[in-house]
Amino acid sequence: MKNLLALAVLTTASVGAEEAEELTLSELLARFNWDFDATEIITEEVGDGLYVLFGVGGNIAASVGEQGVLIVDNMFPEMIPKVQAAIKAVGGDGIDFAVNTHWHFDHAEGNLAVGPAGTWIVAHEQSAQMMASSNPINLVITTYRQQAYPPDARPVITYEDRMRFHFNGAPIDLIHAGPAHTAGDTAVIFREHNAVHFGDVFNNAGYPFIDVDSGGGVNGMIRFCETILAEIGDDGIVIPGHGPVTDAAALKAYIDMLKTVRGRVLAMMEEGKSLLEIVSARPTTDFDATYGPEMNSLGFVDRVYTSLKRDAASQ
């Protein structure tokens, strides 16, 4: 949710979902000047037949080959004609499969266009359930209520832990390593290229947003990242939910950041400090040069604290 990062400048403390202004998608688009017409798709080839498409919303990975086209995430309906044109430019024709890494609008709203056109949509079972109903997304300083998708825009194939495609001459693995960014995240590993699309579990455009209200948490983010790192090893290609394509070294640094901030927040919680005191202590300061000012995130420290407090209460 890169384009929402400026929201957090407006606040330094937690705003509960029940207190925050609830916006519709059209209101979010208007407030943050998302310009579908002016934004073009930029295509980066990361391997023979594997591309990353950048535009409005989450990054798209596309496998293009003799058997057809499989994409991971799909931005917004308004961007789909441009996505299709970019795919055609590299030899594809249509979209056969679309994997949703999770249910959030900036990664899955394109379902509304590709599903009715005949694309087979695939997601984790929990994300499919979320798409079938209206759900609020607590962005800390505002709330967006994502509406239920119609049946033809929802996943027709779901899984629980792992599933495998044999597509375009190579295996493509879908892995759910537990709740992380949400409760239903999927990492997609293109084994031929040793490349993984992480969805929003790994953000290379700033600090991550952790959707605690829908089951995400910092502990799960760390476990998920470590699980996928073990799958791809030191030479893996990492496609983030947002930001430029990177490598396993950046993923390792990201895991280290998550662990360090978690440790600092936990220590202050054990001292009895309040959320406001912890946020004000700026426990991310030495990481801001890499991830940008924490105040420009969607309440990263707030969400770390909130998920740790929830996890402690459940023990």
Side-chain angles (χ1 to χ4, degrees):
M1 298 181 180
K2 181 180 179 181
N3 294 311
L4 289 175
L5 294 179
L7 277 171
V9 176
L10 303 177
T11 187
T12 58
S14 176
V15 177
E18 72 281 357
E19 301 172 5
E21 176 187 10
E22 187 172 290
L23 301 180
T24 65
L25 181 57
S26 61
E27 289 170 335
L28 279 177
L29 295 174
R31 179 176 291 190
F32 301 107
N33 298 313
W34 282 336
D35 194 335
F36 297 132
D37 292 332
T39 304
E40 297 301 326
I41 296 295
I42 297 173
T43 302
E44 177 181 345
E45 185 175 7
V46 297
D48 186 22
L50 180 62
Y51 305 87
V52 179
L53 280 53
F54 304 90
V56 178
N59 296 335
I60 294 176
S63 170
V64 179
E66 291 185 358
Q67 288 181 282
V69 176
L70 178 149
I71 66 171
V72 181
D73 288 344
N74 52 39
M75 299 185 191
F76 293 89
E78 295 84 350
M79 295 300 293
I80 292 302
K82 296 182 180 183
V83 169
Q84 291 172 325
I87 289 171
K88 187 173 184 178
V90 296
D93 184 16
I95 299 171
D96 299 289
F97 295 95
V99 179
N100 296 142
T101 60
H102 60 295
W103 59 277
H104 285 165
F105 61 98
D106 56 329
H107 293 258
E109 203 81 0
N111 285 10
L112 296 168
V114 301
T119 299
W120 292 72
I121 301 172
V122 186
H124 185 263
E125 177 63 30
Q126 196 273 347
S127 282
Q129 292 173 8
M130 297 297 280
M131 292 181 210
S133 61
S134 172
N135 296 285
I137 304 174
N138 178 10
L139 299 168
V140 182
I141 54 78
T142 194
T143 299
Y144 164 61
R145 180 170 293 276
Q146 183 163 318
Q147 299 302 312
Y149 291 169
D152 61 0
R154 301 202 298 261
V156 296
I157 302 171
T158 63
Y159 77 104
E160 287 293 337
D161 299 311
R162 288 178 177 247
M163 70 172 292
R164 170 168 283 188
F165 281 85
H166 295 273
F167 193 72
N168 286 335
I172 302 172
D173 287 337
L174 279 58
I175 300 175
H176 171 68
H181 168 64
T182 69
D185 299 297
T186 293
V188 182
I189 301 179
F190 298 87
R191 293 294 184 182
E192 181 180 16
H193 305 285
N194 197 25
V196 57
H197 190 311
F198 256 105
D200 277 353
V201 178
F202 176 66
N203 180 11
N204 200 28
Y207 289 106
F209 167 60
I210 306 173
D211 191 351
V212 178
D213 289 24
S214 69
V218 67
N219 289 324
M221 293 273 281
I222 292 167
R223 285 193 297 268
F224 197 110
C225 288
E226 289 182 327
T227 297
I228 303 305
L229 178 60
E231 293 274 343
I232 64 172
D234 292 341
D235 61 347
I237 298 169
V238 178
I239 303 167
H242 300 271
V245 176
T246 187
D247 54 22
L251 176 58
K252 290 178 182 179
Y254 181 83
I255 294 169
D256 179 66
M257 178 275 292
L258 291 174
K259 288 182 174 180
T260 301
V261 174
R262 176 184 65 178
R264 291 171 180 172
V265 172
L266 269 174
M268 287 186 278
M269 291 173 69
E270 291 170 355
E271 293 170 1
K273 293 186 183 299
S274 68
L275 171 57
L276 181 58
E277 289 173 322
I278 293 172
V279 171
S280 299
R282 301 180 62 192
T284 66
T285 299
D286 50 332
F287 295 106
D288 287 357
T290 299
Y291 300 99
E294 193 277 336
M295 66 179 295
N296 290 353
S297 73
L298 289 174
F300 174 56
V301 172
D302 177 304
R303 299 293 84 188
V304 170
Y305 169 94
T306 302
S307 70
L308 291 173
K309 185 175 180 181
R310 178 202 61 198
D311 292 351
S314 67
Q315 293 177 354

